[in-house]
Amino acid sequence: MDAKSLTFSFVSSGTVEADAAAKRLSQRYGQMSYDQADIVVALGGDGFLLQTLRETMSTGKRVYGMNRGTVGFLMNEYRENALPARLAAAVAETIRPLEMVTVDDAGTSREALAINEVSLLRQSYQAARVRISVDGKVRLEELICDGVMVATPAGSTAYNLSAHGPILPLDAPLLALTPVSPFRPRRWRGALLPKTAVVRFDILEEQKRPVNAVADHTEVKSVVSVEVRESATHTATLLFDPGHSWSERILAEQFKY
């Protein structure tokens, strides 16, 4: 990328700190719309970066995050100087989201995309009962649990890691299937699936034990079935400073206590 010709769209998470940074940067480097800019610079935390990625999904826009929030695993360090040269040297990581298709207890179908994970969570005090099928074959007749999720490599260090799921390298052709507080089978800790897998969850006793499904920040209440697969059409592209790529961060995370 030619640093001198780059154009930017600075977007803020809405906090005082992020708004002030967006104002300073736009005055210094110019401000373009999403459609016109070469690069969208997201100022905030990881949650806001994921929101920006969803908004620019499959547009070909590159997104560069700078940390002005409380969580910054996906973000680059905030610095205002020499930003065009910094972005011209940035490393691109292209990821594919998960596609979630749900059917609720009223028979309504909904679709949503998830960059990190699709998770099912119990809605009441009673544990959920879930049947799990992979590529049309039942693999687990009944999982009694607080929840269960399918995570991408990009999302493997988020909720998946908190639930003791495996960390996946960004270029691994895998998905992580991870239970949340499993009660039965007590020793089941999940599975690694090929990224081509289609995972289906059927909720057992859905009236007595209601379950919600969440694709990143899109929640569907009282689902009776959920199907999850990697998208064949949607992509998102993130930019990282050299030597601080997402792949490097995911690798480093595996050696932390």
Side-chain angles (χ1 to χ4, degrees):
M1 290 183 285
D2 181 5
K4 294 181 180 179
S5 64
L6 286 177
T7 57
F8 310 104
S9 179
F10 297 100
V11 294
S12 165
S13 63
T15 66
V16 172
E17 191 175 33
D19 283 347
K23 183 177 180 180
R24 290 194 303 270
L25 290 167
S26 61
Q27 289 174 343
R28 184 168 181 176
Y29 297 110
Q31 172 75 341
M32 305 288 281
S33 68
Y34 265 19
D35 294 339
Q36 296 172 315
D38 295 316
I39 297 173
V40 177
V41 180
L43 302 161
D46 286 351
F48 181 65
L49 180 63
L50 290 174
Q51 175 186 324
T52 305
L53 286 173
R54 284 192 295 273
E55 292 173 355
T56 58
M57 187 78 68
S58 299
T59 63
K61 294 297 178 185
R62 293 161 292 177
V63 179
Y64 181 85
M66 283 205 291
N67 193 9
R68 294 284 85 184
T70 55
V71 179
F73 181 80
L74 307 178
M75 311 299 280
N76 297 285
E77 181 184 349
Y78 181 80
R79 297 198 307 271
E80 295 184 11
N81 293 331
L83 186 61
R86 187 178 175 190
L87 290 181
V91 178
E93 303 270 12
T94 298
I95 59 175
R96 291 188 178 275
L98 297 173
E99 295 178 345
M100 176 182 79
V101 179
T102 65
V103 177
D104 66 18
D105 58 358
T108 303
S109 179
R110 288 186 60 184
E111 299 180 10
L113 297 175
I115 293 169
N116 273 354
E117 76 280 319
V118 170
S119 55
L120 278 66
L121 303 167
R122 66 173 179 159
Q123 194 183 115
S124 70
Y125 67 92
Q126 288 189 302
R129 295 179 61 208
V130 184
R131 178 187 299 122
I132 301 175
S133 303
V134 179
D135 294 332
K137 182 176 182 178
V138 175
R139 292 293 182 178
L140 198 56
E141 284 286 354
E142 181 182 77
L143 171 66
I144 302 176
C145 59
D146 282 352
V148 61
M149 77 186 79
V150 179
T152 66
S156 67
T157 55
Y159 187 21
N160 173 73
L161 181 59
S162 297
H164 307 291
I167 295 176
L168 304 177
L170 197 60
D171 58 355
L174 299 170
L175 300 174
L177 175 61
T178 302
V180 179
S181 301
F183 180 66
R184 290 284 189 273
R186 192 177 296 276
R187 291 195 176 97
W188 190 67
R189 291 295 178 262
L192 291 176
L193 306 176
K195 67 177 185 178
T196 56
V198 178
V199 184
R200 179 182 172 93
F201 302 103
D202 289 291
I203 311 307
L204 309 177
E205 295 185 304
E206 71 274 6
Q207 297 298 321
K208 182 181 178 182
R209 303 168 183 266
V211 170
N212 295 345
V214 184
D216 284 349
H217 295 99
T218 301
E219 184 173 24
V220 182
K221 294 185 179 299
S222 302
V223 296
V224 296
S225 68
V226 179
E227 209 166 76
V228 183
R229 71 184 74 204
E230 184 184 78
S231 176
T233 55
H234 296 286
T235 60
T237 302
L238 272 167
L239 294 175
F240 293 99
D241 292 331
H244 199 50
S245 70
W246 204 346
S247 295
E248 169 58 29
R249 292 182 218 192
I250 288 175
L251 180 61
E253 191 73 21
Q254 297 179 79
F255 293 90
K256 292 182 178 180
Y257 292 96

